[in-house]
Amino acid sequence: MKSAIEPQVPLDVSGAGSGDERSVSHRSTEEEVTLLELLDRVLDKGVVLSGDITLSVADVDLVYVGLRVLLSSVETAQRLDSAGGR
Amino acid sequence: MLYVYAILKSSHQLREDSTFYGLKDHLVEIIRHEAVAAAITRHGERSIPTTPPNVLAHERVVERFMADGPVLPARFGTCFPDDAALLATLALRGAELQALLKRVSGCVELGVRVLRHPKQEPPPAGAVATDQQDVSEAPGSGRCYMLARLHEERLREQRQQEGRKLAEELHGPLSAASRAATCRTQVNDELLLSGAYLVGTHDVEQFRAEVQTLAAQHPDLRVLCTGPWPPYHFVSIAASPEAQRV
């Protein structure tokens, strides 16, 4: 079975922004959506047994903030890479 | 401390190498009690930090098991102090867990997010009642400001109503094409629908085709389909008083 987390780009069925001409911002949005979907599931859903959920809400917020920072960095790096390649 | 990734059938068989590693490269073990089992790793520390690598490691282990049979993915951070505590829970919750395993057997979860494009065309003139004439008559006045705010608020409400209607139109057929579904609509101005759908593994392509059809009917929206995921949205059991968030 194909993993949901690799590759980290969801199927964009809207037709908009598909193919090689997709912009960096579209790619970033799609990757961001998949990562957000992952975090929403792993951190907020799933079976809760009668154990301890040792999950700090502050930590969860930091993961989301970190994700934003990471994706911004990726987008910036891709843009720079693209500009350098011309 | 035992960190739990997922609940499985005791008979769950891995087709490939059954030795693999989870959080912090610790060996994944299976603890069995009668018909149900838990996939775990053992750790010296009392909690696992919520970091992107740890979240991904959790997901990889769950997906590894999902490839070979039904799983109930545990929420990130589920821990037990020792084997006895985990076994006691498996014994106590065994019937519920078995029922859930049966429910998700042969299914995966697909996610659908529907987003407006960031820049939308403004509504046609006359679609919303405005007091533009009044506004233009008294620029800079308090009345002008309040009328402008009222106009903005009406536009926002109209946009939200349209968004909710659209989301319902999209969710209906997707729900019908799945075995179970849950969704949030009009989450924010951009995100109209965030849905999770339990779909038979053999029906995934059919479901995606349905999503594609809906997307074609709404070229002004971006429709993103993710997965297959473990069935995170469809494995809830009655909350335990011991489960807590800190």
Side-chain angles (χ1 to χ4, degrees):
Chain A
M1 183 177 292
K2 194 175 178 182
S3 167
I5 53 175
E6 292 174 6
Q8 296 182 337
V9 177
L11 176 66
D12 183 349
V13 293
S14 64
S18 60
D20 292 339
E21 72 277 11
R22 281 187 305 180
S23 68
V24 169
S25 61
H26 272 181
R27 286 179 193 277
S28 178
T29 300
E30 289 159 8
E31 287 169 7
E32 186 173 357
V33 166
T34 297
L35 285 166
L36 285 172
E37 291 259 294
L38 169 66
L39 292 178
D40 282 352
R41 283 171 169 76
V42 178
L43 300 180
D44 194 39
K45 301 297 175 188
V47 67
V48 177
L49 303 163
S50 59
D52 292 327
I53 301 288
T54 57
L55 191 59
S56 156
V57 173
D59 282 349
V60 171
D61 288 344
L62 282 175
V63 169
Y64 278 93
V65 171
L67 171 65
R68 293 269 176 197
V69 172
L70 172 68
L71 288 166
S72 299
S73 304
V74 170
E75 186 179 344
T76 304
Q78 286 178 333
R79 191 182 297 124
L80 290 172
D81 189 42
S82 173
R86 283 175 196 154
Chain B
M1 180 267 285
L2 274 58
Y3 180 90
V4 179
Y5 298 86
I7 300 298
L8 328 161
K9 288 181 179 175
S10 278
S11 57
H12 196 106
Q13 295 287 331
L14 291 169
R15 277 176 294 187
E16 296 173 10
D17 180 14
S18 59
T19 302
F20 62 103
Y21 301 89
L23 290 164
K24 302 187 175 183
D25 291 330
H26 288 208
L27 182 68
V28 175
E29 300 175 42
I30 296 180
I31 305 284
R32 292 181 173 84
H33 178 81
E34 297 181 352
V36 293
I40 62 111
T41 46
R42 297 178 189 276
H43 300 266
E45 54 270 56
R46 294 185 61 188
S47 67
I48 298 295
T50 311
T51 62
N54 286 344
V55 171
L56 287 171
H58 175 104
E59 175 66 8
R60 284 198 181 96
V61 171
V62 176
E63 290 195 15
R64 178 74 177 76
F65 282 105
M66 184 177 81
D68 294 325
V71 297
L72 308 181
R75 187 171 299 182
F76 184 90
T78 299
C79 301
F80 286 84
D82 50 39
D83 290 46
L86 174 58
L87 286 167
T89 294
L90 293 181
L92 186 68
R93 300 273 187 167
E96 281 177 282
L97 297 172
Q98 271 187 273
L100 278 175
L101 281 164
K102 188 176 177 186
R103 182 189 186 205
V104 302
S105 183
C107 295
V108 293
E109 180 177 315
L110 292 175
V112 174
R113 288 204 181 209
V114 179
L115 301 102
R116 290 183 201 263
H117 287 288
K119 289 180 182 175
Q120 291 275 297
E121 291 297 317
V128 176
T130 70
D131 294 303
Q132 283 297 317
Q133 193 174 0
D134 292 342
V135 172
S136 62
E137 283 173 359
S141 69
R143 175 176 162 75
C144 171
Y145 171 77
M146 291 306 293
L147 286 171
R149 291 294 305 271
L150 180 63
H151 177 57
E152 284 173 15
E153 184 61 22
R154 284 177 178 164
L155 284 177
R156 193 184 64 80
E157 281 178 14
Q158 184 192 36
R159 191 173 160 88
Q160 286 199 338
Q161 281 176 4
E162 288 170 356
R164 269 190 290 273
K165 186 166 174 259
L166 265 175
E168 285 162 13
E169 283 175 14
L170 293 163
H171 179 66
L174 295 177
S175 182
S178 62
R179 298 189 191 181
T182 179
C183 78
R184 294 178 297 147
T185 59
Q186 194 68 58
V187 180
N188 56 45
D189 198 42
E190 192 178 352
L191 181 56
L192 298 186
L193 172 68
S194 176
Y197 303 89
L198 189 67
V199 178
T201 50
H202 299 297
D203 300 327
V204 169
E205 291 312 313
Q206 190 181 337
F207 183 88
R208 283 182 168 154
E210 180 67 36
V211 177
Q212 203 158 11
T213 300
L214 290 170
Q217 292 167 1
H218 299 278
D220 53 327
L221 302 175
R222 299 199 71 211
V223 184
L224 301 168
C225 186
T226 62
W229 300 100
Y232 281 100
H233 281 81
F234 304 98
V235 294
S236 62
I237 57 176
S240 159
E242 294 169 46
Q244 59 180 330
R245 280 192 158 197
V246 293

